[in-house]
Every structure is written in structure tokens, then in C-alpha cells.
Amino acid sequence: MPVMHFRIQWPDGDEANCYSPSRVIGEFFVPGEVYALDDFVARSRQALGIASERVREKYGFACSAAMDQLAQIERDAARFRERPGATVKVIEFS
């Protein structure tokens, strides 16, 4: 499976490198675009879920790394839930 990394910027300016076991991330995000926090989390949930299922289809088991990445995104996003207008920028894919 072609792995994809994507770098994001949280509302406080911190950056994070994220992992997907599939290039499906490219169907949900555009480098340089800014997403509302809840939209970013929802898109991440959907994209990483699809990526994990693609691993299951190919290897017979879900991708725990994709689910770990989603859990990290959800934990990090929770810090900004009360911040009005919080956004996440997708910086780049690699």
C-alpha cells in the first residue's frame, strides 16, 4: 500500500506530522487549505477509516496505526473545541 504522510497546523500554530497507510487522504484534503476544526476531524475520521479498511481488504486485518493516528488527531483537536472559529491547515503531503 502506498503510505502517505500529511503535515498539519493546529489553531495555536503547532505543527504535526500525520500518517495514513493509504493515499486516500488526498481525496479529503488539499495542501494549503484551511478547514474548520470539526470538519477537519470528521474528514480525518472518514479518510483514516477508509485507509484502515483498505489495509483490511489487502492483508486481512485493520490498520492499527491509522486508528492510532485518528485517536491522536481527536485528542489534539479536543484542546481547541471551545475556541470559536478554530481551524486546521493542511500544509503538505509527503
Side-chain angles (χ1 to χ4, degrees):
M1 299 223 90
V3 168
M4 179 178 270
H5 293 90
F6 55 110
R7 192 160 50 107
I8 61 171
Q9 184 177 48
W10 291 107
D12 63 358
D14 284 350
E15 293 183 6
N17 291 310
C18 302
Y19 166 84
S20 171
S22 166
R23 295 194 180 272
V24 71
I25 290 294
E27 297 174 21
F28 289 84
F29 298 112
V30 176
E33 289 292 316
V34 176
Y35 300 87
L37 181 68
D38 288 340
D39 183 37
F40 174 77
V41 173
R43 287 170 182 256
S44 296
R45 189 175 294 121
Q46 189 174 5
L48 290 168
I50 291 168
S52 181
E53 284 305 309
R54 287 183 178 178
V55 170
R56 182 189 311 275
E57 289 170 6
K58 185 166 184 171
Y59 298 106
F61 53 86
C63 180
S64 60
M67 295 299 92
D68 290 346
Q69 181 63 72
L70 176 58
Q72 183 66 52
I73 287 171
E74 290 174 334
R75 278 192 303 275
D76 290 345
R79 300 180 325 196
F80 306 106
R81 287 267 181 246
E82 302 304 317
R83 186 181 288 196
T87 60
V88 178
K89 181 178 183 178
V90 174
I91 299 169
E92 67 181 355
F93 296 151
S94 59

